[in-house]
Amino acid sequence: MAKWGQGDPRWIVEEREDGTNVNNWHWTERDATVWSKGKLRELLVGIAMENETGRCEISELKQVEGEASCSSRKGKLIFFYEWNIKLAWKGTIKESGAKHKGLVEIPSLSEENEVDDTEVNVSKKKGDGDTLKDLMKTTGTAKVRAALAEYLKALKTEFTTGMILPTKAVATQDLTVERKVTGNTLQASPVALGVRIPTVALHLTELFDTTVEQLYSIFTVKDLVQKFSKSPAVLEAEKGGKFQMFDGNITGEYVELLTNRKIIMKWRCRSWPEEHYATVALNFVPAPGQTELQLDCKGVPVCKEENTKLCWQKQHFEEIKGLLQLTTQNA
């Protein structure tokens, strides 16, 4: 047994009463959507720009659609964000005092693109005032991108406060801070907070000729899972329980189980980036003589989108239908 203070830093718990999920070594996820909407409004509304011909200002956040989240696993932070933003701007021409209005649209702010490459479209209502539109397209666009960069910086620092908790070992071994000496001064520079994995969300629906109870059991009873997958399975169908299917090619953990209604789980394919999981929600909806299965899968690596879709459609849905048909015939 290791001496006190010399154990694995993942499990140092002397400064926590419960010792649960120390340093977020296990998977945790925080929804940043509401926080992000407020932060985007704070950073974007009120941006002003001026030159010799006129002055413009972002006057309103008209639309912000999308979502953002941050996940932690083994001390690493993984960020997901995808936004469609629409801003209103207004301006005044100095010489004439004429006022004009327009829009700034950001169709896709996501981790797939750098902020400098993010598309920013400026438009103006009909009439004169092209000098103001030009001011918005040049200085305005630059300031909007700078504000978006500030949002991402805040997402990765301000929002994540407390997600990666400090430990004595980390502090002494400089695992989270790179130190450098400039003259006689010791400075600390934060290391990158996480790795960016571009992801997509999948939504699939499928009808099965069976009851809700039977379909739910096919996802939670080991013998039935082994029958439709035609391979050994490990199954702990309870909150926090692990599962392993298709000879270990599919693994994960049950997050929530509402009997005959809903299953939420952390889910991954073996070929995915190490320790990266998607969040899968299965909703069981009764229909006349059938059950509709609604699947929502968030956090699928972009490069694995088609493979993941085929995995559910071919290896799950089609095989389950085959099992149900066989059960009916035998009955």
Side-chain angles (χ1 to χ4, degrees):
M1 180 179 292
K3 294 180 180 179
W4 182 263
Q6 295 183 2
D8 189 325
R10 293 171 294 182
W11 311 116
I12 294 177
V13 299
E14 68 270 24
E15 294 180 352
R16 293 188 51 130
E17 294 182 0
D18 57 6
T20 302
N21 200 10
V22 176
N23 207 29
N24 283 329
W25 187 254
H26 302 294
W27 181 281
T28 58
E29 183 174 342
R30 288 176 65 184
D31 187 351
T33 301
V34 175
W35 177 90
S36 292
K37 289 181 177 181
K39 197 67 179 179
L40 287 165
R41 184 184 304 276
E42 173 191 328
L43 292 169
L44 290 166
V45 176
I47 291 177
M49 56 245 50
E50 188 173 356
N51 61 14
E52 65 280 0
T53 61
R55 183 183 186 278
C56 296
E57 178 183 329
I58 302 293
S59 57
E60 182 186 356
L61 179 59
K62 294 182 69 67
Q63 171 186 299
V64 54
E65 295 180 343
E67 59 183 325
S69 64
C70 177
S71 302
S72 167
R73 178 71 169 104
K74 290 190 176 180
K76 295 180 181 179
L77 295 178
I78 302 171
F79 298 95
F80 167 80
Y81 53 92
E82 187 171 13
W83 295 108
N84 182 324
I85 302 168
K86 185 181 293 185
L87 305 161
W89 66 267
K90 61 183 180 181
T92 304
I93 297 176
K94 290 182 178 179
E95 183 176 346
S96 65
K99 299 182 182 298
H100 297 275
K101 297 180 180 180
L103 295 175
V104 176
E105 297 181 81
I106 305 157
S108 180
L109 173 66
S110 73
E111 73 274 13
E112 297 179 29
N113 300 305
E114 298 295 330
V115 173
D116 289 343
D117 298 325
T118 299
E119 185 178 354
V120 179
N121 299 318
V122 176
S123 61
K124 183 187 69 65
K125 290 187 176 180
K126 293 182 179 180
D128 297 331
D130 285 340
T131 54
L132 295 179
K133 180 179 177 182
D134 291 340
L135 177 59
M136 285 299 305
K137 290 182 69 173
T138 53
T139 306
T141 294
K143 288 195 173 187
V144 166
R145 286 196 175 119
L148 297 178
E150 282 298 311
Y151 155 68
L152 295 179
K153 180 180 178 181
L155 175 65
K156 297 176 182 180
T157 53
E158 178 184 327
F159 177 78
T160 57
T161 300
M163 288 194 71
I164 301 296
L165 304 176
T167 64
K168 290 183 178 180
V170 168
T172 56
Q173 296 174 20
D174 295 329
L175 293 179
T176 60
V177 175
E178 292 180 335
R179 298 185 180 275
K180 57 184 179 181
V181 178
T182 304
N184 295 322
T185 304
L186 184 64
Q187 299 178 338
S189 304
V191 179
L193 288 173
V195 291
R196 296 195 309 174
I197 299 177
T199 62
V200 295
L202 300 178
H203 177 73
L204 303 172
T205 59
E206 195 77 17
L207 282 172
F208 294 87
D209 296 327
T210 188
T211 63
V212 167
E213 292 78 8
Q214 177 67 9
L215 187 59
Y216 182 89
S217 67
I218 287 176
F219 284 94
T220 54
V221 176
K222 179 179 176 180
D223 288 345
L224 295 176
V225 171
Q226 291 184 149
K227 284 182 179 179
F228 88 74
S229 66
K230 299 180 175 66
S231 62
V234 176
L235 215 65
E236 301 169 356
E238 59 186 28
K239 186 175 182 178
K242 310 293 184 183
F243 61 84
Q244 179 175 304
M245 302 165 54
F246 297 103
D247 295 321
N249 284 305
I250 302 296
T251 55
E253 176 181 326
Y254 291 103
V255 176
E256 183 179 1
L257 296 101
L258 300 177
T259 304
N260 301 330
R261 290 170 53 198
K262 188 173 188 176
I263 299 172
I264 300 177
M265 49 192 168
K266 296 298 182 185
W267 188 97
R268 64 173 271 108
C269 292
R270 179 183 286 169
S271 61
W272 287 11
E274 185 178 0
E275 303 301 339
H276 179 77
Y277 286 78
T279 299
V280 171
L282 299 175
N283 286 284
F284 300 82
V285 181
Q290 296 178 306
T291 297
E292 180 180 86
L293 182 64
Q294 299 173 350
L295 180 146
D296 287 289
C297 186
K298 295 182 179 181
V300 177
V302 170
C303 59
K304 303 295 182 180
E305 179 180 3
E306 286 304 315
N307 286 343
T308 303
K309 191 181 297 184
L310 286 173
C311 174
W312 281 103
Q313 291 173 334
K314 300 294 184 182
Q315 294 181 286
H316 287 75
F317 298 166
E318 288 189 11
E319 294 298 333
I320 289 172
K321 287 182 177 181
L323 174 61
L324 290 171
Q325 187 176 14
L326 183 63
T327 303
T328 303
Q329 291 174 350
N330 291 338

